[in-house]
Amino acid sequence: MIEVWDFESTGLVEPKATQLGKCRLSKDLKLIKSSCISYYINPEKEISWGAMGVTGITNEMVADKPTIDEVLANKKSKVHPDTEYIVCHNMTYDQQFFPEGFVPEGVKFLCTLKLARKLIDKSLCGDHKNTTLYYFLGCYKKPFGKEFIEKSHDGLSDSMMTANVLVTMLDKANLTIEEAYQLTQPDITVCNFPKYRGLKWSEAINKDSPYVEWLLGNVDWQDEKEFLYVKDLFDNQ
């Protein structure tokens, strides 16, 4: 099962969630309409003017709403026990709103923004924004769950658009959800640090062993698998 989530927030600086929307897709990628939910959230901080202009959510609208901890404690907000994938458009942004331990171990995070960048040349659509892809891919012509799609930058509407974009990209590229997930995973054999970005780690070690040694001892690596891979290469050079 796949869950598609979207969070709206107070802005880009130390954001707090102001709304969540989510829906579930079955293994055959059909919408489970009973799963479609949306909650406004009291962020316990002021919403920026810019965020208000984008989402239409004001401080007054959420002043009496539950906090994110209270919302996520709701049974309907929990990650379904059969969930294998959580999907968001720009996972790096949305994932920060999941409290530690909220998502069960083993559930995979799939970012449709990363998937779109892999599958669709930006020159064809202009950008990889969720709404752009929704129209570029033709999802708007016959969307599933269209009754839940009211406007962009609404939690439920955005999660539904993401779901439509996901299913359409999988269909057009003839990919399974697992193949799409694997396609978005970083290649740990390739260096992503600026000095040797794009170079195989084995080549970077041969070319500049002291630099790689410094990275291993002084940098906080975001991908532990990559760190262990490079450390093993370095130790066995």
Side-chain angles (χ1 to χ4, degrees):
M1 189 178 292
I2 302 163
E3 291 195 6
V4 185
W5 287 67
D6 180 81
F7 287 94
E8 303 302 327
S9 78
T10 54
L12 297 177
V13 179
E14 298 182 354
K16 299 293 182 181
T18 56
Q19 186 189 25
L20 80 78
K22 76 164 186 168
C23 62
R24 293 203 309 271
L25 303 176
S26 61
K27 286 191 175 182
D28 59 355
L29 303 179
K30 302 299 183 184
L31 175 67
I32 303 171
K33 289 191 177 183
S34 61
S35 71
C36 300
I37 60 170
S38 175
Y39 295 105
Y40 285 113
I41 298 168
N42 183 343
E44 301 182 288
K45 70 173 290 186
E46 294 292 304
I47 302 171
S48 71
W49 298 116
M52 287 187 206
V54 171
T55 67
I57 300 172
T58 65
N59 292 309
E60 292 79 7
M61 288 172 61
V62 295
D64 62 347
K65 302 303 180 187
T67 65
I68 189 167
D69 289 339
E70 292 170 328
V71 167
L72 294 180
N74 187 312
K75 184 178 179 180
K76 289 185 177 181
S77 300
K78 298 289 187 183
V79 177
H80 193 279
D82 293 334
T83 298
E84 297 178 78
Y85 302 89
I86 284 181
V87 177
C88 299
H89 195 78
N90 192 0
M91 181 63 74
T92 302
Y93 183 77
D94 288 276
Q95 194 172 355
Q96 68 185 310
F97 300 114
F98 291 114
E100 185 175 353
F102 178 78
V103 177
E105 189 173 346
V107 174
K108 300 175 181 178
F109 290 95
L110 172 59
C111 177
T112 48
L113 175 59
K114 288 184 178 179
L115 183 61
R117 286 172 174 169
K118 291 282 187 179
L119 298 177
I120 303 169
D121 193 313
K122 187 177 178 180
S123 64
L124 297 175
C125 54
D127 61 61
H128 291 117
K129 293 178 182 178
N130 199 28
T131 46
T132 301
L133 294 169
Y134 180 75
Y135 289 99
F136 172 75
L137 293 168
C139 302
Y140 72 97
K141 295 177 182 177
K142 197 175 180 180
F144 57 79
K146 62 182 179 181
E147 63 268 36
F148 300 112
I149 301 175
E150 297 181 355
K151 66 183 184 72
S152 61
H153 299 295
D154 167 82
L156 183 54
S157 294
D158 281 1
S159 69
M160 287 303 313
M161 283 193 256
T162 299
N164 276 270
V165 165
L166 170 68
V167 172
T168 303
M169 285 197 294
L170 294 179
D171 179 60
K172 288 181 178 292
N174 194 27
L175 293 172
T176 65
I177 185 70
E178 178 60 22
E179 288 170 337
Y181 170 77
Q182 292 297 334
L183 189 62
T184 61
Q185 297 310 291
D187 184 354
I188 63 173
T189 69
V190 175
C191 177
N192 282 303
F193 289 93
K195 189 173 182 179
Y196 294 115
R197 180 168 287 138
L199 195 68
K200 287 284 187 180
W201 274 115
S202 56
E203 297 175 41
I205 290 171
N206 289 331
K207 187 173 184 176
D208 195 345
S209 180
Y211 173 69
V212 176
E213 183 177 21
W214 180 84
L215 288 176
L216 290 170
N218 296 278
V219 174
D220 184 15
W221 294 54
Q222 293 185 349
D223 190 329
E224 185 179 4
K225 289 182 180 179
E226 183 180 15
F227 171 80
L228 293 174
Y229 170 79
V230 176
K231 188 176 186 304
D232 184 63
L233 273 183
F234 185 86
D235 290 343
N236 291 284
Q237 65 178 321

